[in-house]
Amino acid sequence: FGHSLGCIPKNWIRTAKKMGNELSVADSTGIQLSHHKFIVAVLLVMKRLRSRLKGQQNVGLILPTSAGGAIANMAVLGLGKTVVNLNYTAGIKAVRSAVESADIKSIVTSRLFLKKLTSRGIDLDELFSGIEVFYLENIKQENSQALALRYLIMVKLLPASILSLCFIKSVPSHTTAAIMFSSGSEGKPKGVELSHYNLLGNIKQVASIFNIEETDTFMCILPLFHCFGLTVTAFLP
């Protein structure tokens, strides 16, 4: 069944369109988004990143388990790129090694999150030397309310197939969707490439074993750089 699964963002937009105004995601900052509004948020981030990530494949992300983290991951995947959620707890040397190993030229992050990390003794300023850094706060400011409204109308009126065709870059299921790195406790961090096929297969397996239904709610506490955190508590729901 694997190769018929397609890619993650096309599966997501089909589900999100069907779920409509039901709650998609909420986080501790007070953000609450319906599935339709989550689609709009992803499309807005995609619009601002598309030209900036041109010619790049692997994109670094340093974001918390939050609405913003989920939106950014889906936006990068929607552009046909590979997400590399960096383990910011592993130490600057290990993170730098992962960045170099994955040939990452750009990192998507949040000013507020970096400030919180610094307050906890995790200073990543050295990492950003020679790297293009995109802040979600800046991206949000660049998008107008008029554009958001236009996207929302399109999301509500157009079928999922048209939205997918217009906005989501189609990639083969064997394409690498995510690269996950070890913490580097036994030398340099080791990167594992996971395809859309791998992740969607895992998602279907977990959903069937735990008998997950549309009415279930997930409390996501694992970081996005964790394999379970990204696959089961972010992509699955």
Side-chain angles (χ1 to χ4, degrees):
F1 74 103
H3 292 288
S4 64
L5 290 177
C7 60
I8 291 169
K10 284 188 176 291
N11 278 268
W12 155 71
I13 205 166
R14 184 167 59 245
T15 301
K17 174 66 178 176
K18 181 178 69 172
M19 297 298 286
N21 291 321
E22 295 291 325
L23 180 65
S24 171
V25 63
D27 65 24
S28 59
T29 68
I31 291 176
Q32 294 188 37
L33 296 175
S34 68
H35 287 273
H36 279 170
K37 288 185 177 179
F38 189 94
I39 296 175
V40 171
V42 170
L43 298 184
L44 290 171
V45 174
M46 286 176 62
K47 181 176 177 62
R48 299 306 169 191
L49 289 180
R50 182 173 282 106
S51 61
R52 294 168 177 172
L53 297 179
K54 190 174 182 180
Q56 301 177 46
Q57 182 56 41
N58 301 334
V59 180
L61 296 102
I62 299 177
L63 291 166
T65 305
S66 61
I71 289 165
N73 269 272
M74 197 59 71
V76 172
L77 287 172
L79 293 170
K81 311 293 183 183
T82 299
V83 295
V84 188
N85 287 278
L86 297 165
N87 184 350
Y88 42 82
T89 67
I92 192 69
K93 186 177 179 181
V95 181
R96 169 61 73 178
S97 175
V99 166
E100 292 173 355
S101 177
D103 192 28
I104 291 171
K105 306 296 184 191
S106 299
I107 291 176
V108 180
T109 186
S110 156
R111 292 185 189 278
L112 179 60
F113 186 55
L114 292 180
K115 186 177 179 180
K116 286 186 175 181
L117 289 180
T118 301
S119 69
R120 296 178 183 179
I122 302 175
D123 189 347
L124 298 176
D125 284 348
E126 182 185 333
L127 174 68
F128 299 140
S129 176
I131 297 288
E132 192 80 36
V133 181
F134 303 121
Y135 298 99
L136 287 183
E137 291 89 345
N138 292 4
I139 291 172
K140 184 177 181 180
Q141 289 176 353
E142 290 173 9
N143 288 309
S144 66
Q145 289 292 328
L147 180 61
L149 180 60
R150 191 172 79 193
Y151 277 170
L152 182 60
I153 292 171
M154 293 175 70
V155 166
K156 287 184 175 295
L157 296 181
L158 295 177
S161 57
I162 300 300
L163 289 172
S164 183
L165 186 64
C166 291
F167 294 104
I168 305 299
K169 183 174 181 180
S170 182
V171 296
S173 60
H174 58 75
T175 303
T176 301
I179 299 176
M180 313 212 76
F181 281 92
S182 65
S183 62
S185 57
E186 299 178 354
K188 286 187 176 182
K190 302 169 184 67
V192 178
E193 296 184 56
L194 299 170
S195 68
H196 291 264
Y197 170 78
N198 292 146
L199 295 174
L200 288 169
N202 287 158
I203 286 168
K204 285 186 174 289
Q205 291 156 358
V206 172
S208 65
I209 291 173
F210 287 99
N211 193 30
I212 293 167
E213 300 178 355
E214 291 181 353
T215 53
D216 290 339
T217 300
F218 280 72
M219 180 175 286
C220 309
I221 58 173
L222 288 169
L224 293 169
F225 58 74
H226 189 284
C227 58
F228 197 97
L230 183 67
T231 305
V232 180
T233 62
F235 289 154
L236 190 157

